Amino acid sequence: MLILSIQKQILENQFELLQNIPGLTWTPSLAFLKAHPDFQHPKQKFQKKSSNILFESLETFDEPLTAPEEFDWSLIQPACIDVIADTGHCPSYNAAAETQAFSDLRCISARDLERVQYSIQQVVDCVHEYGCSTYLPFYGWEHIMNNGIPTAECVPFDSQFSGWSSSWCSLSCKNGSQQIVYKPEKLKHVEGEEGQMMKAVVKGPLSASFTQYEDLIYYSSGIYTHQYGEWVGSMGAEIVGYGVENGVKFWKVKLSLGEQFGERGFLRIAKGTGECGIESNGILGVV
């Protein structure tokens, strides 16, 4: 009880500190933490190989046309986009973001007649180095491209409750039937340049990641910029749009922290400034 009391006091002190920052472009809140009292920052696993290996094998996205000033897939195709994953006790944020992007892309392109959720669990289980820890981004895409991915109906996301991966990569569905897997036609590497990222998002939701700091969990609404706190890990993100509010540009990002986080599961993060490295790299799936 003493430890919990100390942790609560630390969180309340951090919240008060945020409230007193002048000119803050986002609203801090304790609502998410109160709804998730057992939330823990994930442990980062470092990998020997770099995601640059995947980038080097991909075609670079290079669109000559201009992009509109504002764009939002959640307004254009809400039935495809407004499904928010909740990784729960399994902070597999990059795996979730990349799987969600694939699910959304297939819905937007009408490859599926209605939105189908593909299996986050399969990526968690089959990419053994990751499991339920956060990791360098885009290895989930590499697995989906090389091996395909079944639906969540075939392999449900159980690790959100247990916090553990099954540690083995099944070739059958939970009911014992053989898996049917789906792959993107190709993946395109979107280099970290604001204009090209905008053009890529117009083609479809863009898988990216950004550096997660301690203050992110206080985000409630507005345009997020990192203010304080220690580095936590890599937060997987699906960029579904962008815009401008009161002269401040932002990316609209879908996370996998459930609908109680932020703006109904979405985060708006500052655009054009390299905020938290979100403009470093991205991957656009072609389905």
Side-chain angles (χ1 to χ4, degrees), residues 49-60 98 130 135-146 184 186-190 207 281-284:
K49 55 184 180 179
S50 166
S51 55
N52 288 332
I53 296 173
L54 175 60
F55 294 156
E56 290 167 4
S57 68
L58 298 180
E59 172 187 343
T60 298
E98 291 151 31
Y130 311 149
Y135 59 89
L136 293 173
F138 310 129
Y139 290 119
W141 269 126
E142 189 173 35
H143 171 76
I144 294 169
M145 185 69 189
N146 292 338
K186 64 171 69 175
L187 300 175
K188 292 188 176 183
H189 172 213
V190 183
S207 173
N281 284 294
I283 285 188
L284 177 65

Side-chain angles (χ1 to χ4, degrees), residues 81-192:
I81 301 299
D82 289 355
V83 179
I84 308 297
D86 188 346
T87 54
H89 294 283
C90 182
S92 48
Y93 305 133
N94 286 304
E98 291 151 31
T99 305
Q100 289 287 92
F102 180 68
S103 303
D104 292 350
L105 283 163
R106 283 187 60 91
C107 179
I108 287 170
S109 63
R111 293 298 300 273
D112 295 320
L113 296 180
E114 58 184 22
R115 190 185 187 280
V116 174
Q117 176 62 51
Y118 290 88
S119 178
I120 298 171
Q121 188 69 53
Q122 186 77 350
V123 177
V124 169
D125 290 343
C126 293
V127 188
H128 294 296
E129 301 99 311
Y130 311 149
C132 279
S133 294
T134 187
Y135 59 89
L136 293 173
F138 310 129
Y139 290 119
W141 269 126
E142 189 173 35
H143 171 76
I144 294 169
M145 185 69 189
N146 292 338
N147 303 288
I149 186 172
T151 67
E153 182 179 5
C154 170
V155 184
F157 188 37
D158 296 328
S159 291
Q160 69 189 105
F161 306 112
S162 67
W164 297 93
S165 66
S166 66
S167 75
W168 60 287
C169 185
S170 174
L171 299 179
S172 61
C173 297
K174 189 173 183 180
N175 65 7
S177 62
Q178 186 174 2
Q179 289 180 6
I180 299 173
V181 297
Y182 302 82
K183 298 180 179 181
E185 290 183 6
K186 64 171 69 175
L187 300 175
K188 292 188 176 183
H189 172 213
V190 183
E191 295 181 348

